[in-house]
């Protein structure tokens, strides 16, 4: 039995290696990729050594508050489209259907929320660091607590940003993932460290152009190779990828409601309450510029991410009835995208290089913006209070912080390689505290009666409860009570897709062993899946898409009642500018009682009343 299994493994490995030989980078692809990295490094060198700018922290972190609108908008889009999005979002729609699009479309709600509710508060209070607001509204302790969560998130997420594109590059070149991760992370650290926010923004412009070009080309060529748009839609519909879920059960993996709610909270949080984005928004000369910037960024994001989601549908239509994962060509869905690119575009000179450059561009954008903002937060919140501040010392310190974090990202890749679903892992990790961060910002802007004690305890309550829920949820996964099996695909149509080499190398018995679904192996009778559950309801089975929403709700669930237990001091006065504009309007609106009291004074006296008043005055005289 053991001998048979080893022979099967050897046969699969040999056949897979032979098939993959035709799916490798050419010299032209390498040249395209190196040119992209060189352009990014060159921009960093220019702003680091040749740009005529003052060597100040405001210049390094905010570009002197004179950043142009369109480049910053492109930069915001680019930094939200990490390599995780470019690789994992198509894998998500390929595996679980098109419900992911609701997360993208939630940006339609997020942009007005940012423009009219969140961003005006920052501009009215001249805030350059979004965490300054929390100190103004509540206390220094509240700011410190939230910046700790920001730092922890960066430590958890930054290694992911670079590892995922390294995974793609390894898939099409065969080079060691960690070697690639080291080289590209070093380039990113180099230009971010030298050029500051201007280098971040202008490299994002170059990288954003590469991303837009790539996703459009992939969508067009993929649709063409799949037999046209009608064929794509037909195959995807037959395969269940367009089965939209409008269910209200929070245990369903992805639905319209979880996608819209989670997307609204995530985009609002990322663009309006995360320093890596707020730093660029407040670098605009005025609120009007910021408003236009957000409108352009929202439109660009929806455009590119809609294409990215649909590429997953195109991939499924192309591989309908011949799943590369079941065939042994790809080990997991997150590796499917580069395989698909090489399959449909490998014969076109330089095109695979453009796409891999696209994936790296997305990750470089996210990593550079995060490194720059991370350095600013660490310096101003943790280092500056403990040293004698000078501009030169500040810039030197921030550059050292960026270098240290770059080295950490390289080492962190060894942990990230063990993740199964990158997108699920990211949502789960950030679900611990992102909801609490959104909740406390909204608490400060919307609820005037809440004080610092209420805010700090609300954050702690939300994070502790979410940590408990997530840990128990992961234990249910480990126990097999929750299992997100993907929508089905097969191997019955492989002859039409050129996979005969692999299928012929595996006999019928081996194929059945290799592709047998895991659910048949002593699966528990009661199970929560991606599309339903026959278990009694448990909050621990809640989909990870709801984690951020739950975290924000928990802050308010704690804070509102506790604001009556710990009310504001009678002498404590708040600056009205610390609240959102619509809250200020409510606070400034005269009460109905006052209006009624004033009403008689505003009513003109009749002639009879005037005569009576005059007669009364004469009689008194």
């Amino acid at each position: 039995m053991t001998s048979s299994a080893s022979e099967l493994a050897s046969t699969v490995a040999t056949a897979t290696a032979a098939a993959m030989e035709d799916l490798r980078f050419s010299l032209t692809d390498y040249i395209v990729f190196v040119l992209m990295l060189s352009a990014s490094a060159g921009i960093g060198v220019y702003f680091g050594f040749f740009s005529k700018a003052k060597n100040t922290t405001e210049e390094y972190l905010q570009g002197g508050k004179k950043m142009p609108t369109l480049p910053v908008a492109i930069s915001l889009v680019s930094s939200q489209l990490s390599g995780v999005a470019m690789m994992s979002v198509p894998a998500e729609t390929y595996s679980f259907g098109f419900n992911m699009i609701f997360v993208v479309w939630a940006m339609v709600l997020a942009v007005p929320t940012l423009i009219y509710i969140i961003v005006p508060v920052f501009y009215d209070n001249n805030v350059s660091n979004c965490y300054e607001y929390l100190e103004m509204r509540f206390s220094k302790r509240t700011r410190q607590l939230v910046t700790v969560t920001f730092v922890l998130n960066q430590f958890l997420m930054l290694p992911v940003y670079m590892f995922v594109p390294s995974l793609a590059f390894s898939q099409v070149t065969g080079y060691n993932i960690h070697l690639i991760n080291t080289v590209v992370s070093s380039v990113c650290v180099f230009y971010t460290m030298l050029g500051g926010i201007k280098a971040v923004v202008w490299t994002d412009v170059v990288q954003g152009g590469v991303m837009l070009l790539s996703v459009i080309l992939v969508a067009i060529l993929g649709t063409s190779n799949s037999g046209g748009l009608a064929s794509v839609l037909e195959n995807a519909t037959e395969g269940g990828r367009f089965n939209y879920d409008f269910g209200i059960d929070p245990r369903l993996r992805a639905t319209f409601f979880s996608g819209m709610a989670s997307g609204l909270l995530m985009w609002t949080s990322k663009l309006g309450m995360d320093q890596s984005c707020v730093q660029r928004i407040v670098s605009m000369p005025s609120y009007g510029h910021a408003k236009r910037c957000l409108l352009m960024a929202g439109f660009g994001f929806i455009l590119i991410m809609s294409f990215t989601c649909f590429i997953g549908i195109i991939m499924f239509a192309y591989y309908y009835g011949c799943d590369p994962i079941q065939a042994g060509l790809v080990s997991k869905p997150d590796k499917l995208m580069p395989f698909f690119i090489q399959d449909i575009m490998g014969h076109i000179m330089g095109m695979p290089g453009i796409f891999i450059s696209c994936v790296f561009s997305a990750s470089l954008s996210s990593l550079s913006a995060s490194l720059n903002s991370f350095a600013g937060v660490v310096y101003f919140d943790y280092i500056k209070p403990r040293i004698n501040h000078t501009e030169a010392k500040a810039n030197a310190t921030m550059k050292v912080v960026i270098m240290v974090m770059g080295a950490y990202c390289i080492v962190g890749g060894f942990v990230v390689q063990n993740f199964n679903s990158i997108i699920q892992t990211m949502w789960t990790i950030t679900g611990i505290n992102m909801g609490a961060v959104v909740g406390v910002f909204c608490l400060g802007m919307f609820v005037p009666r809440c004080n610092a004690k209420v805010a700090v305890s609300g954050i702690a309550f939300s994070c502790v409860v979410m940590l408990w829920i997530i840990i128990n949820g992961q234990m249910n996964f480990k126990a097999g009570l929750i299992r997100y099996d993907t929508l089905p695909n097969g191997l019955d149509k492989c002859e039409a897709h050129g996979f005969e080499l692999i299928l012929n190398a595996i006999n019928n018995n081996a194929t059945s062993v290799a592709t047998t679904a895991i659910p048949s192996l002593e699966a528990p009778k009661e199970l929560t899946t991606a599309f339903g559950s026959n278990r009694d309801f448990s909050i621990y089975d809640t989909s990870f898409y709801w984690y951020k929403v739950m975290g924000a709700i928990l802050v308010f669930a704690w804070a509102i009642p506790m604001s009556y237990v710990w009310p504001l001091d009678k002498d404590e006065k708040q600056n009205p500018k610390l609240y959102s504009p619509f809250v200020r309007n409510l606070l400034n609106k005269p009460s109905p009682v006052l209006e009624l009291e004033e009403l008689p004074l505003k009513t003109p006296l009749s002639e009879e009343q005037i005569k009576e008043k005059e007669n009364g005055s004469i009689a008194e005289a």
Side-chain angles (χ1 to χ4, degrees):
M1 182 72 177
T2 305
S3 175
S4 175
S6 62
E7 285 180 17
L8 168 61
S10 176
T11 303
V12 172
T14 303
T16 301
M20 289 299 292
E21 283 300 318
D22 295 329
L23 300 176
R24 296 296 189 204
F25 253 29
S26 66
L27 177 61
T28 307
D29 297 317
Y30 283 111
I31 292 172
V32 169
F33 181 71
V34 170
L35 284 174
M36 186 276 295
L37 285 182
S38 300
S40 299
I43 291 171
V45 169
Y46 171 76
F47 285 109
F49 294 110
F50 302 106
S51 177
K52 296 179 180 179
K54 297 178 181 178
N55 187 29
T56 64
T57 53
E58 184 184 35
E59 184 69 29
Y60 190 77
L61 295 174
Q62 292 184 278
K65 292 185 76 70
K66 296 178 181 178
M67 296 300 293
T69 305
L70 182 59
V72 173
I74 296 172
S75 177
L76 288 173
V77 175
S78 299
S79 63
Q80 296 308 300
L81 299 175
S82 66
V84 176
M86 305 306 291
M87 293 275 288
S88 297
V89 169
E92 175 79 4
T93 53
Y94 178 94
S95 302
F96 295 99
F98 207 47
N99 284 296
M100 180 72 189
I101 195 65
F102 297 129
V103 176
V104 176
W105 290 347
M107 184 64 81
V108 174
L109 302 178
V111 169
T113 302
L114 290 164
I115 289 175
Y116 297 108
I117 297 177
I118 307 297
V119 173
V121 178
F122 295 149
Y123 269 89
D124 290 343
N125 292 281
N126 196 29
V127 168
S128 60
N129 180 328
C130 62
Y131 307 121
E132 288 178 42
Y133 167 77
L134 295 176
E135 184 174 352
M136 294 177 182
R137 173 62 179 86
F138 294 117
S139 66
K140 189 171 184 178
R141 182 180 297 178
T142 311
R143 173 179 178 174
Q144 290 174 337
L145 184 58
V146 174
T147 54
V148 165
T149 67
F150 170 78
V151 169
L152 288 176
N153 265 355
Q154 298 305 312
F155 269 99
L156 292 169
M157 300 315 304
L158 287 180
V160 178
Y161 288 146
M162 282 317 301
F163 182 81
V164 172
S166 299
L167 196 70
F169 196 87
S170 176
Q171 179 79 10
V172 297
T173 64
Y175 285 122
N176 182 275
I177 293 173
H178 303 292
L179 174 63
I180 302 162
N181 192 21
T182 300
V183 172
V184 182
S185 294
S186 299
V187 171
C188 184
V189 167
F190 173 74
Y191 75 72
T192 305
M193 180 184 68
L194 286 180
I197 191 64
K198 286 186 176 179
V200 170
V201 168
W202 286 105
T203 50
D204 284 353
V205 171
V206 174
Q207 293 157 0
V210 174
M211 280 187 277
L212 181 60
L213 173 66
S214 297
V215 295
I216 292 175
L217 283 175
V218 172
I220 293 172
L221 288 173
T223 301
S224 176
N225 290 350
S226 301
L229 183 60
S231 178
V232 168
L233 298 177
E234 181 181 351
N235 288 349
T237 302
E238 288 180 10
R241 266 56 183 182
F242 284 139
N243 291 344
Y244 298 111
D245 200 328
F246 293 90
I248 59 174
D249 187 341
R251 296 172 296 178
L252 299 174
R253 189 177 193 275
T255 66
F256 168 81
F257 297 104
S258 66
M260 293 296 288
S262 181
L264 173 60
L265 231 70
M266 183 170 67
W267 305 132
T268 303
S269 171
K270 285 294 293 178
L271 291 172
M273 300 167 190
D274 187 297
Q275 181 57 14
S276 62
C277 290
V278 173
Q279 177 179 333
R280 280 168 284 175
I281 292 172
V282 298
S283 69
M284 300 277 93
S286 68
Y287 169 67
H289 289 83
K291 181 178 177 181
R292 289 192 293 274
C293 174
L294 285 167
L295 285 170
M296 288 187 284
F299 175 79
F301 176 85
I302 292 172
L303 177 67
I304 295 181
M305 278 302 293
S306 295
F307 270 109
T308 305
C309 283
F310 194 67
I311 286 171
I313 299 299
I314 295 170
M315 283 197 303
F316 174 78
Y318 183 74
Y319 292 119
Y320 182 44
C322 192
D323 186 4
I325 299 172
Q326 292 186 43
L329 284 167
V330 180
S331 60
K332 57 183 180 180
D334 286 320
K335 288 186 174 183
L336 188 57
M337 187 69 168
F339 177 84
F340 176 64
I341 297 303
Q342 284 291 78
D343 198 1
I344 66 168
M345 299 167 63
H347 63 286
I348 304 175
M349 185 176 294
M351 288 309 301
I354 290 177
F355 177 76
I356 296 300
S357 297
C358 161
V359 176
F360 270 101
S361 294
S363 284
L364 287 169
S365 298
S366 300
L367 184 60
S368 60
S370 296
L371 285 173
N372 186 264
S373 61
F374 178 85
V377 169
V378 168
Y379 179 78
F380 283 102
D381 284 66
Y382 297 101
I383 298 175
K384 182 182 175 182
R386 295 169 175 81
I387 64 172
N388 294 323
H389 169 76
T390 65
E391 292 292 337
K393 191 179 293 184
N395 283 344
T397 304
M398 287 189 284
K399 288 175 182 178
V400 171
V401 170
I402 289 172
M403 289 177 65
V404 171
M405 279 304 293
Y408 165 76
C409 290
I410 294 168
V411 176
F414 289 92
V415 177
V416 178
Q417 67 178 339
N418 297 314
F419 295 165
N420 287 325
S421 171
I422 300 292
I423 199 166
Q424 182 172 332
T425 301
M426 288 183 65
W427 235 286
T428 302
I429 290 172
T430 56
I432 298 171
N433 59 12
M434 188 177 282
V437 172
V438 175
V440 76
F441 271 101
C442 292
L443 199 68
M445 294 180 183
F446 303 158
V447 188
R449 68 172 297 109
C450 289
N451 57 22
K453 189 182 293 186
V454 171
V456 170
S457 58
I459 296 170
F461 174 74
S462 175
C463 289
V464 168
V465 173
M466 288 310 303
L467 184 61
W468 177 259
I469 291 173
I470 288 172
I471 288 175
N472 279 276
Q474 294 306 303
M475 290 174 66
N476 281 358
F477 267 106
K478 191 172 182 180
L481 300 173
I482 305 175
R483 191 170 58 227
Y484 290 155
D485 296 323
T486 63
L487 288 168
N489 200 353
L491 292 169
D492 55 314
K493 301 178 181 178
C494 281
E495 292 183 3
H497 295 287
F499 290 115
E500 296 90 345
L501 178 64
I502 299 296
L503 296 179
N504 290 338
I506 305 173
N507 59 41
N508 293 332
N509 292 333
T511 302
S512 63
V513 171
T515 60
T516 298
I518 295 174
S520 63
L521 303 178
E522 299 181 6
K525 293 181 180 179
E526 294 184 349
L527 182 68
T528 294
T529 69
F531 310 103
S533 176
N534 57 5
R535 281 163 44 79
D536 291 337
F537 180 81
S538 169
I539 196 169
Y540 305 133
D541 291 359
T542 301
S543 167
F544 60 90
Y545 279 101
W546 282 108
Y547 286 163
K548 296 177 180 65
V549 181
M550 292 168 63
I553 292 173
L554 285 168
V555 170
F556 278 83
W558 172 272
I560 299 301
M562 294 309 294
S563 67
Y564 292 92
V565 177
W566 297 318
L568 288 169
D569 294 336
K570 293 182 179 179
D571 299 331
E572 186 174 352
K573 294 183 179 180
Q574 292 282 8
N575 180 357
K577 290 183 178 180
L578 294 172
Y579 307 125
S580 284
F582 79 93
V583 176
R584 295 177 215 164
N585 294 335
L586 293 175
L587 292 175
N588 294 332
K589 186 177 180 180
S591 65
V593 175
L594 292 175
E595 289 179 353
L596 289 173
E597 290 175 351
E598 292 171 357
L599 186 60
L601 299 177
K602 294 179 181 178
T603 304
L605 296 176
S606 63
E607 292 182 3
E608 293 181 359
Q609 288 174 324
I610 294 173
K611 288 181 180 179
E612 289 177 2
K613 190 172 181 179
E614 289 175 349
N615 294 334
S617 299
I618 294 171
E620 288 178 3

